Amino acid sequence: MLKLTDNPPMCTPDVASLADLAGTWWAAYTKARFEKAFAWDLLSRGIGYFLPMREKVGYWGNRKRRLLIPLFTSYVFFCGDETDRYNALATNRLSHVIDVGNQAALVRELSAVEKALAGGLVIDHYPQLAVGRRARIISGPLMGTEGT
């Protein structure tokens, strides 16, 4: 179990926002529980990525621990060219890479997630919504944000 300070950054540290990253975006489906290790590999190779994580408080015995867990289990989003894609596959931490058909929509939706995480908002799963259904936030700091 990693300390909070031992986790990789959620986004490549040398950019202000993930919208600043140039290249083709892919969704990497990692092997089980390899999201953070894969993010460290991408960081060391200079490949731009986004690994959205949320804080979770867990109790083990008498100890209270704060953890960062991936928001989307087994998924890390990265961008670059074909060489970067090859280098990501060479890490041996991936099950497969998913091509993104609508690049602009992915960047727009990931930017909304990044904005919510940067604002310190509590992000949790909302089980009442059906998978694939459009939703729009009607109040609060993210008012007007839409997504699927």
Side-chain angles (χ1 to χ4, degrees):
M1 188 173 340
L2 295 176
K3 297 177 188 175
L4 284 179
T5 56
D6 294 338
N7 287 290
M10 280 194 252
C11 189
T12 305
D14 56 345
V15 295
S17 170
L18 66 95
D20 297 338
L21 293 171
T24 304
W25 280 91
W26 291 281
Y29 188 78
T30 67
K31 294 179 181 178
R33 301 175 56 108
F34 272 70
E35 302 95 338
K36 293 177 185 180
F38 180 61
W40 280 119
D41 288 344
L42 293 176
L43 185 63
S44 69
R45 288 171 167 80
I47 300 172
Y49 71 92
F50 181 55
L51 172 59
M53 294 184 283
R54 66 182 177 100
E55 191 172 310
K56 177 183 175 183
V57 177
Y59 295 92
W60 286 267
N62 291 336
R63 293 184 179 188
K64 178 180 175 181
R65 295 255 173 121
R66 293 181 355 189
L67 309 169
L68 280 178
I69 60 171
L71 193 59
F72 308 113
T73 306
S74 294
Y75 284 96
V76 178
F77 305 93
F78 71 98
C79 74
D81 56 18
E82 283 298 322
T83 304
D84 294 331
R85 182 177 188 266
Y86 175 79
N87 288 332
L89 286 166
T91 63
N92 200 26
R93 298 189 192 276
L94 300 182
S95 293
H96 59 278
V97 175
I98 302 167
D99 292 325
V100 176
N102 190 343
Q103 296 281 312
L106 177 72
V107 171
R108 186 174 53 251
E109 290 184 5
L110 290 180
S111 294
V113 171
E114 180 187 37
K115 180 180 174 184
L117 292 171
L121 301 174
V122 175
I123 294 182
D124 207 354
H125 299 286
Y126 192 67
Q128 289 82 3
L129 287 177
V131 174
R133 185 171 179 187
R134 298 250 345 133
R136 182 171 40 96
I137 300 173
I138 57 173
S139 65
L142 295 176
M143 186 171 72
T145 302
E146 296 185 28
T148 304

